[in-house]
PDB file of all heavy atoms in Angstrom:
ATOM      1  N   GLN F  39     -12.219  -8.796   7.656  1.00  0.00           N
ATOM      2  CA  GLN F  39     -11.094  -9.694   7.421  1.00  0.00           C
ATOM      3  C   GLN F  39      -9.989  -9.418   8.436  1.00  0.00           C
ATOM      4  O   GLN F  39      -9.934  -8.361   9.064  1.00  0.00           O
ATOM      5  CB  GLN F  39     -10.537  -9.510   6.012  1.00  0.00           C
ATOM      6  CG  GLN F  39     -11.379 -10.118   4.916  1.00  0.00           C
ATOM      7  CD  GLN F  39     -10.679 -10.052   3.571  1.00  0.00           C
ATOM      8  OE1 GLN F  39     -10.044  -9.054   3.228  1.00  0.00           O
ATOM      9  NE2 GLN F  39     -10.778 -11.113   2.794  1.00  0.00           N
ATOM     10  N   ASN F  40      -9.077 -10.386   8.566  1.00  0.00           N
ATOM     11  CA  ASN F  40      -7.900 -10.199   9.399  1.00  0.00           C
ATOM     12  C   ASN F  40      -6.796  -9.524   8.599  1.00  0.00           C
ATOM     13  O   ASN F  40      -6.566  -9.863   7.432  1.00  0.00           O
ATOM     14  CB  ASN F  40      -7.397 -11.539   9.937  1.00  0.00           C
ATOM     15  CG  ASN F  40      -8.318 -12.119  10.987  1.00  0.00           C
ATOM     16  OD1 ASN F  40      -8.960 -11.381  11.724  1.00  0.00           O
ATOM     17  ND2 ASN F  40      -8.395 -13.440  11.067  1.00  0.00           N
ATOM     18  N   ALA F  41      -6.108  -8.563   9.226  1.00  0.00           N
ATOM     19  CA  ALA F  41      -5.008  -7.847   8.579  1.00  0.00           C
ATOM     20  C   ALA F  41      -3.908  -7.614   9.608  1.00  0.00           C
ATOM     21  O   ALA F  41      -4.111  -7.781  10.824  1.00  0.00           O
ATOM     22  CB  ALA F  41      -5.512  -6.517   8.018  1.00  0.00           C
ATOM     23  N   LEU F  42      -2.751  -7.200   9.136  1.00  0.00           N
ATOM     24  CA  LEU F  42      -1.623  -6.956  10.028  1.00  0.00           C
ATOM     25  C   LEU F  42      -1.720  -5.575  10.673  1.00  0.00           C
ATOM     26  O   LEU F  42      -2.097  -4.594  10.023  1.00  0.00           O
ATOM     27  CB  LEU F  42      -0.304  -7.047   9.251  1.00  0.00           C
ATOM     28  CG  LEU F  42       0.026  -8.403   8.615  1.00  0.00           C
ATOM     29  CD1 LEU F  42       1.384  -8.329   7.932  1.00  0.00           C
ATOM     30  CD2 LEU F  42       0.016  -9.516   9.650  1.00  0.00           C
ATOM     31  N   VAL F  43      -1.375  -5.512  11.941  1.00  0.00           N
ATOM     32  CA  VAL F  43      -1.270  -4.232  12.650  1.00  0.00           C
ATOM     33  C   VAL F  43       0.036  -4.220  13.439  1.00  0.00           C
ATOM     34  O   VAL F  43       0.555  -5.271  13.839  1.00  0.00           O
ATOM     35  CB  VAL F  43      -2.462  -3.976  13.598  1.00  0.00           C
ATOM     36  CG1 VAL F  43      -3.762  -3.885  12.819  1.00  0.00           C
ATOM     37  CG2 VAL F  43      -2.558  -5.055  14.672  1.00  0.00           C
ATOM     38  N   VAL F  44       0.573  -3.019  13.639  1.00  0.00           N
ATOM     39  CA  VAL F  44       1.771  -2.826  14.455  1.00  0.00           C
ATOM     40  C   VAL F  44       1.341  -2.087  15.722  1.00  0.00           C
ATOM     41  O   VAL F  44       0.671  -1.046  15.637  1.00  0.00           O
ATOM     42  CB  VAL F  44       2.830  -1.995  13.703  1.00  0.00           C
ATOM     43  CG1 VAL F  44       4.072  -1.803  14.578  1.00  0.00           C
ATOM     44  CG2 VAL F  44       3.201  -2.658  12.383  1.00  0.00           C
ATOM     45  N   LEU F  45       1.714  -2.619  16.874  1.00  0.00           N
ATOM     46  CA  LEU F  45       1.352  -1.963  18.139  1.00  0.00           C
ATOM     47  C   LEU F  45       2.460  -2.187  19.156  1.00  0.00           C
ATOM     48  O   LEU F  45       3.391  -2.959  18.930  1.00  0.00           O
ATOM     49  CB  LEU F  45       0.005  -2.473  18.642  1.00  0.00           C
ATOM     50  CG  LEU F  45      -0.150  -3.979  18.886  1.00  0.00           C
ATOM     51  CD1 LEU F  45       0.260  -4.347  20.317  1.00  0.00           C
ATOM     52  CD2 LEU F  45      -1.596  -4.420  18.641  1.00  0.00           C
ATOM     53  N   GLU F  46       2.348  -1.475  20.274  1.00  0.00           N
ATOM     54  CA  GLU F  46       3.316  -1.635  21.358  1.00  0.00           C
ATOM     55  C   GLU F  46       2.610  -2.108  22.608  1.00  0.00           C
ATOM     56  O   GLU F  46       1.642  -1.490  23.053  1.00  0.00           O
ATOM     57  CB  GLU F  46       4.058  -0.325  21.635  1.00  0.00           C
ATOM     58  CG  GLU F  46       5.126  -0.044  20.611  1.00  0.00           C
ATOM     59  CD  GLU F  46       6.048   1.098  21.007  1.00  0.00           C
ATOM     60  OE1 GLU F  46       5.890   1.634  22.126  1.00  0.00           O
ATOM     61  OE2 GLU F  46       6.905   1.450  20.194  1.00  0.00           O
ATOM     62  N   ASP F  47       3.101  -3.221  23.138  1.00  0.00           N
ATOM     63  CA  ASP F  47       2.644  -3.692  24.435  1.00  0.00           C
ATOM     64  C   ASP F  47       3.857  -3.593  25.350  1.00  0.00           C
ATOM     65  O   ASP F  47       4.255  -2.511  25.740  1.00  0.00           O
ATOM     66  CB  ASP F  47       2.103  -5.110  24.320  1.00  0.00           C
ATOM     67  CG  ASP F  47       1.396  -5.573  25.576  1.00  0.00           C
ATOM     68  OD1 ASP F  47       1.210  -4.743  26.480  1.00  0.00           O
ATOM     69  OD2 ASP F  47       1.053  -6.756  25.663  1.00  0.00           O
ATOM     70  N   LYS F  48       4.498  -4.676  25.649  1.00  0.00           N
ATOM     71  CA  LYS F  48       5.774  -4.599  26.360  1.00  0.00           C
ATOM     72  C   LYS F  48       6.896  -4.268  25.373  1.00  0.00           C
ATOM     73  O   LYS F  48       7.945  -3.753  25.761  1.00  0.00           O
ATOM     74  CB  LYS F  48       6.045  -5.918  27.074  1.00  0.00           C
ATOM     75  CG  LYS F  48       5.040  -6.205  28.185  1.00  0.00           C
ATOM     76  CD  LYS F  48       5.328  -7.540  28.841  1.00  0.00           C
ATOM     77  CE  LYS F  48       4.306  -7.821  29.949  1.00  0.00           C
ATOM     78  NZ  LYS F  48       4.527  -9.132  30.592  1.00  0.00           N
ATOM     79  N   SER F  49       6.678  -4.612  24.108  1.00  0.00           N
ATOM     80  CA  SER F  49       7.609  -4.272  23.044  1.00  0.00           C
ATOM     81  C   SER F  49       6.789  -4.066  21.778  1.00  0.00           C
ATOM     82  O   SER F  49       5.584  -4.304  21.749  1.00  0.00           O
ATOM     83  CB  SER F  49       8.644  -5.392  22.848  1.00  0.00           C
ATOM     84  OG  SER F  49       8.000  -6.605  22.450  1.00  0.00           O
ATOM     85  N   ARG F  50       7.438  -3.621  20.718  1.00  0.00           N
ATOM     86  CA  ARG F  50       6.735  -3.401  19.456  1.00  0.00           C
ATOM     87  C   ARG F  50       6.530  -4.742  18.757  1.00  0.00           C
ATOM     88  O   ARG F  50       7.462  -5.532  18.598  1.00  0.00           O
ATOM     89  CB  ARG F  50       7.531  -2.444  18.569  1.00  0.00           C
ATOM     90  CG  ARG F  50       6.745  -1.949  17.375  1.00  0.00           C
ATOM     91  CD  ARG F  50       7.414  -0.753  16.728  1.00  0.00           C
ATOM     92  NE  ARG F  50       7.479   0.382  17.650  1.00  0.00           N
ATOM     93  CZ  ARG F  50       8.013   1.564  17.332  1.00  0.00           C
ATOM     94  NH1 ARG F  50       8.525   1.755  16.126  1.00  0.00           N
ATOM     95  NH2 ARG F  50       8.034   2.543  18.214  1.00  0.00           N
ATOM     96  N   VAL F  51       5.306  -4.983  18.310  1.00  0.00           N
ATOM     97  CA  VAL F  51       4.955  -6.301  17.784  1.00  0.00           C
ATOM     98  C   VAL F  51       4.043  -6.160  16.572  1.00  0.00           C
ATOM     99  O   VAL F  51       3.280  -5.197  16.456  1.00  0.00           O
ATOM    100  CB  VAL F  51       4.274  -7.158  18.897  1.00  0.00           C
ATOM    101  CG1 VAL F  51       3.001  -6.480  19.401  1.00  0.00           C
ATOM    102  CG2 VAL F  51       3.974  -8.568  18.422  1.00  0.00           C
ATOM    103  N   ILE F  52       4.141  -7.114  15.662  1.00  0.00           N
ATOM    104  CA  ILE F  52       3.201  -7.227  14.546  1.00  0.00           C
ATOM    105  C   ILE F  52       2.205  -8.325  14.893  1.00  0.00           C
ATOM    106  O   ILE F  52       2.596  -9.436  15.265  1.00  0.00           O
ATOM    107  CB  ILE F  52       3.921  -7.564  13.227  1.00  0.00           C
ATOM    108  CG1 ILE F  52       4.850  -6.419  12.819  1.00  0.00           C
ATOM    109  CG2 ILE F  52       2.901  -7.828  12.109  1.00  0.00           C
ATOM    110  CD1 ILE F  52       5.653  -6.698  11.564  1.00  0.00           C
ATOM    111  N   MET F  53       0.919  -8.000  14.753  1.00  0.00           N
ATOM    112  CA  MET F  53      -0.120  -8.963  15.076  1.00  0.00           C
ATOM    113  C   MET F  53      -1.155  -9.014  13.968  1.00  0.00           C
ATOM    114  O   MET F  53      -1.205  -8.130  13.106  1.00  0.00           O
ATOM    115  CB  MET F  53      -0.796  -8.594  16.404  1.00  0.00           C
ATOM    116  CG  MET F  53       0.158  -8.519  17.578  1.00  0.00           C
ATOM    117  SD  MET F  53      -0.659  -8.338  19.185  1.00  0.00           S
ATOM    118  CE  MET F  53      -1.350  -9.985  19.402  1.00  0.00           C
ATOM    119  N   LEU F  54      -1.957 -10.051  13.994  1.00  0.00           N
ATOM    120  CA  LEU F  54      -3.072 -10.195  13.069  1.00  0.00           C
ATOM    121  C   LEU F  54      -4.342  -9.813  13.826  1.00  0.00           C
ATOM    122  O   LEU F  54      -4.576 -10.286  14.942  1.00  0.00           O
ATOM    123  CB  LEU F  54      -3.160 -11.639  12.574  1.00  0.00           C
ATOM    124  CG  LEU F  54      -3.807 -11.905  11.215  1.00  0.00           C
ATOM    125  CD1 LEU F  54      -3.043 -11.198  10.100  1.00  0.00           C
ATOM    126  CD2 LEU F  54      -3.853 -13.404  10.930  1.00  0.00           C
ATOM    127  N   ALA F  55      -5.153  -8.930  13.241  1.00  0.00           N
ATOM    128  CA  ALA F  55      -6.361  -8.453  13.928  1.00  0.00           C
ATOM    129  C   ALA F  55      -7.510  -8.342  12.933  1.00  0.00           C
ATOM    130  O   ALA F  55      -7.305  -8.120  11.733  1.00  0.00           O
ATOM    131  CB  ALA F  55      -6.098  -7.103  14.590  1.00  0.00           C
ATOM    132  N   LYS F  56      -8.705  -8.454  13.442  1.00  0.00           N
ATOM    133  CA  LYS F  56      -9.911  -8.338  12.617  1.00  0.00           C
ATOM    134  C   LYS F  56     -10.246  -6.872  12.399  1.00  0.00           C
ATOM    135  O   LYS F  56     -10.241  -6.067  13.341  1.00  0.00           O
ATOM    136  CB  LYS F  56     -11.085  -9.040  13.310  1.00  0.00           C
ATOM    137  CG  LYS F  56     -12.417  -8.895  12.590  1.00  0.00           C
ATOM    138  CD  LYS F  56     -13.547  -9.488  13.422  1.00  0.00           C
ATOM    139  CE  LYS F  56     -14.904  -9.198  12.810  1.00  0.00           C
ATOM    140  NZ  LYS F  56     -16.020  -9.728  13.616  1.00  0.00           N
ATOM    141  N   TRP F  57     -10.571  -6.521  11.147  1.00  0.00           N
ATOM    142  CA  TRP F  57     -10.917  -5.145  10.832  1.00  0.00           C
ATOM    143  C   TRP F  57     -12.374  -4.880  11.188  1.00  0.00           C
ATOM    144  O   TRP F  57     -13.282  -5.328  10.517  1.00  0.00           O
ATOM    145  CB  TRP F  57     -10.680  -4.881   9.348  1.00  0.00           C
ATOM    146  CG  TRP F  57     -10.864  -3.434   8.953  1.00  0.00           C
ATOM    147  CD1 TRP F  57     -11.163  -2.386   9.769  1.00  0.00           C
ATOM    148  CD2 TRP F  57     -10.742  -2.894   7.639  1.00  0.00           C
ATOM    149  NE1 TRP F  57     -11.235  -1.222   9.055  1.00  0.00           N
ATOM    150  CE2 TRP F  57     -10.984  -1.505   7.736  1.00  0.00           C
ATOM    151  CE3 TRP F  57     -10.460  -3.444   6.391  1.00  0.00           C
ATOM    152  CZ2 TRP F  57     -10.956  -0.668   6.624  1.00  0.00           C
ATOM    153  CZ3 TRP F  57     -10.430  -2.614   5.288  1.00  0.00           C
ATOM    154  CH2 TRP F  57     -10.671  -1.235   5.413  1.00  0.00           C
ATOM    155  N   GLY F  58     -12.576  -4.161  12.283  1.00  0.00           N
ATOM    156  CA  GLY F  58     -13.919  -3.763  12.682  1.00  0.00           C
ATOM    157  C   GLY F  58     -14.202  -4.027  14.143  1.00  0.00           C
ATOM    158  O   GLY F  58     -13.945  -5.119  14.644  1.00  0.00           O
TER     159      GLY F  58
END
Side-chain angles (χ1 to χ4, degrees):
Q39 285 187 319
N40 289 329
L42 298 182
V43 297
V44 180
L45 58 89
E46 283 191 3
D47 190 7
K48 295 179 180 178
S49 62
R50 192 165 297 180
V51 60
I52 295 177
M53 302 189 72
L54 206 61
K56 176 186 173 182
W57 186 2

